[in-house]
Structures are given as C-alpha cells and as structure tokens.
Amino acid sequence: MNFSTKIVYLVSLLLSLVICFPAVKAYAEEDKQLIVVYENKEGEEAVRESDAAIDETYDNLPAAAVTADAKTVRDLKKDPDIKYVEPDSRIYSTGSSTAVQASSQILNQWNLAPIQASWAWREGITGKGVKVAVIDSGIYPHQDLNIAGGYAAVNYTTSYKDDAGHGTHVAGIIGAKHNQYGTDGVAPDAELYAVKVLDKAAAGDMSDLLEGIDWAISNKMNIINVSIGTKYKSKALEDAVKRAYQQDILLVASSGNGGAGHLVNYPAAFNEVIAVSASDSKNNIASFSVVGDNVEFAAPGSNIYSTHLGANYAIMSGTSQAAPHVSAMLALLKQQHPTETNNQLRLRLQQNSKDLGEEGRDPLFGYGLIQYQSDQTKSYQQALDAVQLTEKRQTLANYDKAQQVVKGLSNSEEKQSLQKRLDNIKQVIILQEAKDKVSKAEKSKQNKDIAAAQSAANKVTNRTEKKSLHNRLDKVKQALLVKEASYKVGQSEKSKIKKNVDIAQKAIQSLAKGKDRTILQTRLNKVKQSQFHAANASVKAAERSPADKNLKKAQSTINELQAGKDKDSLQKRLEKLKKKLSDAKKLSDATYKVKKAEKDRTKKAKQAAQSAVNKVSSSKDKKTLQTRINKIKVRR
C-alpha cells in the first residue's frame, strides 16, 4: 500500500472501533437531583459518606437534597437507615402568567368587601405582631410594602428580592400599607417575610421549597403562605408541613388552577395545610379554580389588584391570589387571639366564614367564603342579606324590611354603600310598579287605574323613563277622552238637543288635534247641520202660516242651535214674523174696539178704542182708525 492508502485504512479502522466500542462514559447513567430522607443519625451519616453530592441540608427536617448517579441511589435506597429517596420535583406558582399593569393611584379593590376586612380595621385589628412567611418568588422592595426580613433558598442569588412579580403580588394582598395610595392589604400591620424559592419564571425545585419551610420553622413564623403547587405527592413535602404544623405554624396553600376535574395540588392537599379555592366578584367559584374535598375555604382570586415589580400595581388571577386572603385573615385572628393554637385558629376561621354552595362543607367552597365577623359584621351581614333579597325579589315589602335593618347599623362606609344600593333598588321597584300600573291602565282604560298609574309615574326619578311612562299615559288618557267624546257625540246624534251638543263639543275640544278629533267634529257638525235644517224648516212653516203655534215651534228649534251666524239669521226671520203677527193682532184689536165705540159711544169704549189705535204700527191703518174715532168724538 502506498502512504495515502494506509492513512485512509487506519482512519476507517478507528471509526469502526469507535462505533463498535463507544467510550465508557456513554454507558454511564446521568446524575439525578434527589431528596433523601433519613431515619436517624446513622442515615444522615450514610448520606454524607456516599458518593452523592450534597446540595442542601435542613435544620428541622431529617433530609438532604443531593445529586447522585443511579448506583449511589440504589445503595441509599437499600440502606436501612434511609427512610426514602424521591426525585427533586419541580414546583410552580398558581397565579396567572400575565399581569395587567394598573395606574399608581387608589385602586378599586372589590375583594375587600366580601371578606369584610374594613370591619377588622375599624376595630383596630390589622395583623400587628403576626409573622407571615411568603414562600414564593421573593418580595420586591415596593413603596407600599414593609418587608421584615427574608431568605433566598434558590441557587442563582442570595437576595430574596422578587424578579418574577408573583411573590410581590401575593405579599401586597396580605400586607400592603394603608397609606391612601395604591392598594390596601387585608392585614397591613402583619410582619412580611420574603422566602424566595421560585426563580424569575415563577418556577422552582422541591428542595428549595423544603428549605423555605425549614427556614420558616427556624425563624418561628406564625403563618406560612404557599401560593405554589405541584401534582407530585412528595413525602418529603408532607413530612415538612407536618413538622411545621407541629411547631404551631398555620400553613395556607392554593388549591391550583385548571378548573374542575383536576386534583387539588400539593401541598394544599395535605391535611396539615389549609387548601384555598378562588371565588369571583359574584361570590361564585372562579372557572379556573381547582376544587375538591380537600378545599377548606374559598377567598377572592379573580382580577385582584396588588403590588408588583418596581413601583407598579397589577391585576392577577389565580388560587395564588386566593390563598393570601386566608393567610391575612388568620393574621387578623392571631392578633385577636394571640394565645390560641393553630388548630384553634383554624377552627375559629370556620366560624369566620360565610357558608356558600351546599350547606356545610362542600368541594367548591369548603366551609365557605372567609369573612371577618363580629357583632357589627353580623348586623352588617343581616343588612346585606336583606338588601340582596330586595335586589332579587324587587318588592316594596322587602325594601321596607331591608331599610329598617340598614337604619339600625352604625354610621360607616358599608352602611352608606348598602343605603345607596337600597336607594337604587327602590327606584327600580318604583319604576317597575309604575310600569305595571301603566300597563293595567292601558288595558282597562279606567279613570281610577289611570289616576293610580299617574301617581306611580310621578314618583319615578329617571327622566327618560318618566317621560316614556307619561307619554304612554297620555295615549291612554287620549283614548279614554276619545271614547267619552265619541259617546257624547252619539248622545247628541240621538237627541239633537243643544245641551247634549254643547257637552259633545266641549268633549271634542279637550281632545288633542288629530284624526279622532276631526272625525268626531265632523259627526257633531252633521248634528248641528241637522239642527239648522230643522230650525230653518220650522221658520219657513211659520212664514207660510204665522200662527202662534208655528212661531213657538220655530223659536224652540232655533233655541237648540249653537250661537253663530246661522242662528242669528233664522232668529231675525222669526222676529219679523213675530212682529208681523203682533201688528196684525194689534190692528185687529183696534178695529174691533173702534167698531164697538162707534156702536156704544160710551166714554169707556172710546178710551179703549183710542188706546188700541195708539198701539197700531201701520200709519195708514192707524190714520183710518183714528179718523173714525174722531168722528165719534164729534157726534158727542
């Protein structure tokens, strides 16, 4: 072989050997991060003497976090002094992954009212002197928070400063200052301790969570808040929470997100831990909240304002936000009852809750929604229930009962709020009552119903609604007026007498201009025309035969006419007839008396004749009769 051929051969041989016989290290199993829990000192010593790299030991837990290969793990598991070995699993926050930034001003926190936090503050209960460990992503040095101290269990920093925002949000729910700025914490004077076990992605290792709990035990925390969850049931974690509970520490944890159908996360699912589900602003379980038999209480967890990184505030949702409400409420109770044990306070919290959902403990709300309760809050709760019942039933009877209960409360923002709600629902009730009465008036078209509807509509304060009701009533009134006017026109059509025509005309004039008024006026005008025709015929009959009977009939028909040109014309014609008949009567009477005087020639007869002649209007006839009287006087 030449040199180049030999080189190619040797390279090919080496490659085939690498493929057939890989390096020994390729066969080695990867090292694993583990938690080793030992039974005794001998077990602890066995861990130290093993090939495992010890990453963390604990002051209060018989355990160590280690990194070891498969052989070392097998050896440890076989050791009778080792209790158990488990993987160092991952843990995560149970809040929303995104936060909406809110402006730095006094923010509207709906979550405080349902748990009646302000009643505690009014009574001087603020969580003062109670130590709360927030085991989370740390706490940012926010201007609205007082941080009493803390610890970093993570490997990448020694600072407990929050770099994820989750822990700061949780801490603000518990203890944000009451400084007329930003948000108010439920227990503003509680001592907040930042125990950082999560990284900037709000995730971490079980070994760090154990380290955080271990620190809380060593530093004699009263309450531990763990807004963290895992589906993995770690025995090491169970042992840790048991050890903390034995040290009289209250542990509160979020039930988890994902909604119904998912199991409650750990550590919340352990008996020693208070598992908290999340409620919304309507006191319903939030759609994202994990529920189950382990749930002990519910608390607000949907769209919660709280502190965040920098000087910011944020809205976040999750059972992570529900749990700190419970921790803060326990801080209030601990201040009130400093000598009570964690068991006693846990039972007391049951008494300080509002039973929701099924009666008694249920998988959604547990024992119920947490609430601060006292004699004042019980009175407030009664008033609130009465107001809510009024809002539901919307009757004046319920309103009156609720008003009496609200009046009995001492002056406070809560009373003002309830009174405002009552005032609003009263207007709703008044409006509905007015609408019902207007509807009744529209159907019946009875004056009594219209009057009742008018009175009810006048009490409505909403201008738009009031105007609408008045418009509807005006239509009812108009319809009724049309009905009445139509009836009166009908009466005038039947009787054709002036009285009824006048009444009908007045009724028509009260109507609004429009089709109905025009139609009725036309009908009445026909009645009036008919009256005119009748009067005209009577006058003509009198003109043809000017007898008293005909004149009286003509006058009677003219009297039934409405004042006006036509009536005046007929009356003038009749007056002429009356005068003509009167003159004829006077002439006849004078002629008769003159004739009698000519015959009797007595003074009395002559005087009577003269008097009668004087009344004659016709100068010619009068002159003739006067000549005859004069002749009688000459013959005397």
Side-chain angles (χ1 to χ4, degrees), residues 329-347:
M329 187 64 69
L330 286 169
L332 299 180
L333 295 178
K334 181 66 176 176
Q335 180 190 351
Q336 268 190 315
H337 310 282
T339 61
E340 288 190 351
T341 65
N342 54 1
N343 265 324
Q344 290 172 320
L345 290 171
R346 197 170 177 178
L347 289 172

Side-chain angles (χ1 to χ4, degrees), residues 528-548:
K528 291 179 180 181
Q529 193 66 28
S530 174
Q531 286 179 311
F532 172 75
H533 290 319
N536 189 45
S538 296
V539 171
K540 284 183 178 180
E543 287 173 334
R544 288 192 300 269
S545 178
D548 286 338

Side-chain angles (χ1 to χ4, degrees), residues 386 389-390 393-404 429:
L389 185 62
T390 303
R393 295 186 177 176
Q394 297 188 0
T395 67
L396 283 175
N398 288 114
Y399 167 81
D400 290 337
K401 291 178 182 178
Q403 185 64 72
Q404 287 298 112
I429 294 169

Side-chain angles (χ1 to χ4, degrees), residues 305-512:
Y305 278 107
S306 187
T307 48
H308 207 248
L309 299 181
N312 296 320
Y313 296 85
I315 304 170
M316 296 181 73
S317 297
T319 53
S320 278
Q321 281 60 48
H325 285 85
V326 175
S327 295
M329 187 64 69
L330 286 169
L332 299 180
L333 295 178
K334 181 66 176 176
Q335 180 190 351
Q336 268 190 315
H337 310 282
T339 61
E340 288 190 351
T341 65
N342 54 1
N343 265 324
Q344 290 172 320
L345 290 171
R346 197 170 177 178
L347 289 172
R348 187 175 290 280
L349 189 58
Q350 294 178 22
Q351 300 165 5
N352 282 258
S353 62
K354 181 180 182 179
D355 192 8
L356 298 174
E358 298 176 9
E359 187 175 355
R361 185 171 184 175
D362 64 74
L364 299 180
F365 299 92
Y367 290 107
L369 176 72
I370 60 161
Q371 286 187 330
Y372 179 81
Q373 294 185 3
S374 64
D375 290 340
Q376 281 188 321
T377 61
K378 287 175 183 177
S379 297
Y380 169 75
Q381 188 60 50
Q382 290 176 350
L384 177 61
D385 291 342
V387 170
Q388 289 174 336
L389 185 62
T390 303
E391 290 171 331
K392 180 180 180 181
R393 295 186 177 176
Q394 297 188 0
T395 67
L396 283 175
N398 288 114
Y399 167 81
D400 290 337
K401 291 178 182 178
Q403 185 64 72
Q404 287 298 112
V405 180
V406 171
K407 279 185 178 179
L409 297 177
S410 57
N411 290 328
S412 63
E413 291 181 6
E414 289 81 5
K415 179 178 181 178
Q416 292 173 7
S417 175
L418 289 179
Q419 187 60 58
K420 185 176 181 180
R421 288 171 64 178
L422 270 183
D423 292 343
N424 290 337
I425 195 61
K426 183 179 181 181
Q427 288 307 313
V428 172
I429 294 169
I430 288 173
L431 176 59
Q432 188 57 53
E433 184 183 54
K435 285 182 177 179
D436 291 342
K437 290 187 176 181
V438 169
S439 296
K440 184 178 180 181
E442 288 172 330
K443 290 179 181 178
S444 72
K445 294 183 174 61
Q446 297 292 321
N447 282 320
K448 63 176 183 178
D449 293 332
I450 292 173
Q454 186 67 64
S455 177
N458 290 340
K459 296 175 183 177
V460 174
T461 57
N462 183 292
R463 291 184 179 180
T464 302
E465 294 286 1
K466 190 172 189 175
K467 184 178 180 180
S468 174
L469 291 173
H470 281 162
N471 288 340
R472 288 171 62 186
L473 274 178
D474 287 343
K475 289 180 181 178
V476 177
K477 291 176 184 178
Q478 186 67 17
L480 185 58
L481 288 173
V482 169
K483 182 179 178 182
E484 291 177 351
S486 180
Y487 171 77
K488 289 173 180 177
V489 169
Q491 290 293 98
S492 69
E493 288 171 330
K494 290 179 182 179
S495 67
K496 293 184 174 61
I497 63 175
K498 183 176 183 298
K499 178 182 178 181
N500 288 345
V501 172
D502 289 342
I503 291 172
Q505 185 62 65
K506 187 176 181 180
I508 290 172
Q509 288 173 343
S510 67
L511 300 179

Side-chain angles (χ1 to χ4, degrees), residues 31 45 58 65 123 159 371 382 391-392 402 512:
D31 291 346
E45 190 62 31
Y58 307 101
E123 295 174 12
S159 170
Q371 286 187 330
Q382 290 176 350
E391 290 171 331
K392 180 180 180 181

